[in-house]
Structure formats: C-alpha cells, structure tokens
C-alpha cells in the first residue's frame, strides 16, 4: 500500500501536503463565513495572522510524523520532519522580515 512506503521523498511529499489540508481545515473551522478568496486576502494583508495559521497548520504534520514514527517508518518520518522545519523557517521569515 502506498501509505506504508518508507522513503524520505514520500515523507517530504506528505510533509508539504499535510499543512495544506490543515490550513483548509482551519479555514472551514474558524473562517467559513468568509469566502476562500476573502480569507486569503486577509492573510496577505495581515502577515502576523499568516505566520500563526502556518504554525497551526503544522499540527497536521505533527500527526503524520507521529503516525509514521509509531509504525517504524523512520525515513518517511524524517522527510515529514524536514518539511516541517522548512515550513517553520518560512513562518519565522514571514513574521520577522515581512
């Protein structure tokens, strides 16, 4: 099965996709009164909100990472961790420099 694959590239893919699903989950949970377009416009105008939401979206990566660590898929978990670090650096960059 595809989700049982143990490789760093697969972990990177999961690590970059999971926060996107986390972002949309957060949108539907907290901002569903706004259109998706309005939601993204607010995020672009308020950079501090964007970095906070990125941090919340990374919770999805924590879940994926935990699942793969618990199933001894260390290479996949390593890929998820690398993607999480990249997202965290982007989030800090947005918060500090933009």
């Amino acid at each position: 099965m595809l989700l049982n694959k143990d490789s760093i590239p697969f972990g990177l893919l999961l690590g970059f996709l999971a926060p996107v699903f986390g972002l949309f989950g957060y949108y539907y949970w907290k901002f569903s009164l706004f259109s998706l377009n309005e939601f993204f416009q607010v995020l672009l105008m308020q950079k501090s909100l964007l970095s906070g939401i990125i941090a919340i979206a990374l919770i999805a990566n924590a879940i994926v990472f935990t699942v793969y660590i618990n199933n001894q898929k260390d290479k996949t978990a390593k890929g998820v961790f690398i993607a999480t670090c990249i997202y965290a650096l982007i989030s800090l960059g947005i918060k500090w420099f933009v």
Side-chain angles (χ1 to χ4, degrees):
M1 181 197 245
L2 180 63
L3 293 178
N4 286 332
K5 189 174 180 180
D6 189 23
S7 72
I8 291 176
F10 181 62
L12 286 169
L13 177 67
L14 289 176
F16 285 120
L17 288 179
V20 173
F21 289 113
L23 174 70
F24 285 114
Y26 188 74
Y27 160 74
Y28 285 116
W29 180 46
K30 285 287 194 183
F31 293 95
S32 59
L33 296 175
F34 299 102
S35 73
L36 199 56
N37 189 29
E38 291 171 329
F39 173 67
F40 285 117
Q41 286 177 352
V42 169
L43 288 181
L44 291 175
M45 288 188 296
Q46 297 187 5
K47 302 296 186 200
S48 61
L49 181 62
L50 178 61
S51 66
I53 289 179
I54 289 172
I56 290 169
L58 288 178
I59 292 172
N61 266 10
I63 294 168
V64 173
F65 179 79
T66 302
V67 166
Y68 280 93
I69 282 291
N70 288 341
N71 288 313
Q72 288 82 37
K73 303 292 185 193
D74 294 336
K75 291 178 185 175
T76 301
K78 187 183 292 188
V80 173
F81 180 74
I82 292 167
T84 302
C85 290
I86 292 169
Y87 268 114
L89 290 173
I90 290 169
S91 178
L92 287 173
I94 289 169
K95 188 172 184 94
W96 288 343
F97 301 114
V98 177

